[in-house]
Each structure stands twice: as structure tokens, then as C-alpha cells.
Amino acid sequence: MRNNLSVSLTALTVEELAKEDLSSTNLIFMCPLSVEGEGRNISNLASKKICWIAGSTIGQDGLLRQFLYNDAGILEKDSFDVHPFFLFGNKVLLLPYDALQIPSRWKIYNMAPDLLLLSSVTIAEEIAELRLKLKALAGDWKVNIACAFSLPKGKRRFGAFSAEGEEVRFQDSALAVWRV
């Protein structure tokens, strides 16, 4: 049985996030973190906030490495590939945006996810195009999509699209809660 998820999308650092009230959150999806200068004390944060935390780190080579911590602060996943997991009856896929390129795109579609968590390293000029592609994908596949972008100079952004292909609007650009 599927239950609603409360997903917090955030561009905050780990330290800033630790100060927030996330008592109604099941899953935190973080924008990509740089390897240098950003402490990954995510395990403690997950266990203190009692919620799952997903995101990625940017390696020296510019590749995204996905991570997933469970609500006990235990590392469930730390790799470069697609990671499916279930959370309250919802099938969630954690993956880099590049994994949606053909031919792996259809493998992902056949997994029948309820929620895609996508990370991307991009430039500001490409975000509008990426948003259009993700909006179309959400509507075509009937899947909810949360995306997290890392931009040059340490800037971060996130977005979300409903299974109807509509962009979800948020009041706050640093931390937003989305009921999926």
C-alpha cells in the first residue's frame, strides 16, 4: 500500500539543515554537495532527524556519486549508478540526470517508480531546458520527479514536477516540503 511521502528539497548545507524543524519529513533530498568544504555529517543528521537523506557529492572528476542514508543514519547506498528503494510503499529511484540518456532510459521506465530523485551538475543557462525536459518526462511517465542542481560557484537549486507533468511551485528557494 502506498502512503504519502513528505519530501524536503533543500539547497541548505548540512550544518544549516541541522537547525531546521523537519519533524514531519520522511525524506530529505539535498542538492549536490562539493567534496571540499562541505562536511558530510549526514549520518548524524539522519539519525537525529529520524528521516532518510538522499543526495550526491561531486567528485574531483565532476562525476556525481549518489548517497542514501536511512532514518537510523546508516549508509544504504554510495555509488555512481541508479539505486531503487522503497519508502512507505513508494518505489523511489535515486539517480544522476545522465542516467536518463538512451538506452538506460527504458530500463528506468520499466522499474515503474513512484518518485525519481535526480541530481545534475549544470550551468544556469541550461536549467530552463532541463526543467522542460523533466516536466515532459513526469507527464509522459506519470511519475513524480524531484531534481537537484549544482551550479558554478557553489550555487544550488531544486525543482519538482508532479505525475501530471506540472511544475510544483515553492515559497522558499532554500528548503521546501513537498507531499508526494
Side-chain angles (χ1 to χ4, degrees):
M1 180 176 139
R2 277 188 61 204
N3 293 310
N4 286 339
L5 283 178
S6 176
V7 180
S8 289
L9 307 172
T10 185
L12 297 175
T13 64
V14 176
E15 293 79 19
E16 292 168 330
L17 198 55
K19 299 172 188 170
E20 297 292 327
D21 176 16
L22 301 168
S23 56
S24 65
T25 296
N26 307 113
L27 172 67
I28 297 171
F29 184 44
M30 302 182 75
C31 288
L33 305 170
S34 61
V35 174
E36 301 90 31
E38 187 91 54
R40 272 196 27 174
N41 201 358
I42 298 168
S43 176
N44 287 338
L45 182 64
S47 63
K48 286 180 184 173
K49 299 294 184 180
I50 311 173
C51 62
W52 291 64
I53 300 178
S56 58
T57 55
I58 306 166
Q60 300 289 352
D61 53 6
L63 294 176
L64 290 174
R65 186 174 186 92
Q66 313 301 311
F67 64 79
L68 176 67
Y69 288 86
N70 67 21
D71 54 1
I74 298 169
L75 182 64
E76 296 265 331
K77 177 71 172 175
D78 185 20
S79 74
F80 294 103
D81 58 351
V82 176
H83 179 61
F85 64 100
F86 285 90
L87 193 56
F88 300 106
N90 294 276
K91 187 171 196 175
V92 182
L93 293 182
L94 173 64
L95 64 156
Y97 177 78
D98 294 344
L100 287 177
Q101 306 308 313
I102 298 173
S104 62
R105 175 185 210 119
W106 299 115
K107 178 183 170 190
I108 293 165
Y109 173 77
N110 288 329
M111 290 180 177
D114 298 303
L115 174 63
L116 289 179
L117 301 176
L118 299 170
S119 297
S120 178
V121 176
T122 189
I123 58 174
E125 292 78 17
E126 293 177 350
I127 286 186
E129 182 182 339
L130 285 173
R131 285 182 188 268
L132 286 174
K133 288 179 181 179
L134 293 174
K135 180 179 178 177
L137 183 68
D140 289 347
W141 286 11
K142 306 294 183 233
V143 63
N144 294 300
I145 299 175
C147 51
F149 306 107
S150 177
L151 302 167
K153 299 180 183 173
K155 294 185 180 179
R156 301 180 190 132
R157 296 222 172 87
F158 56 81
F161 303 88
S162 71
E164 292 79 35
E166 298 298 320
E167 186 166 2
V168 180
R169 302 286 181 189
F170 300 110
Q171 295 283 338
D172 191 345
S173 63
L175 177 66
V177 178
W178 182 31
R179 299 254 181 233
V180 179

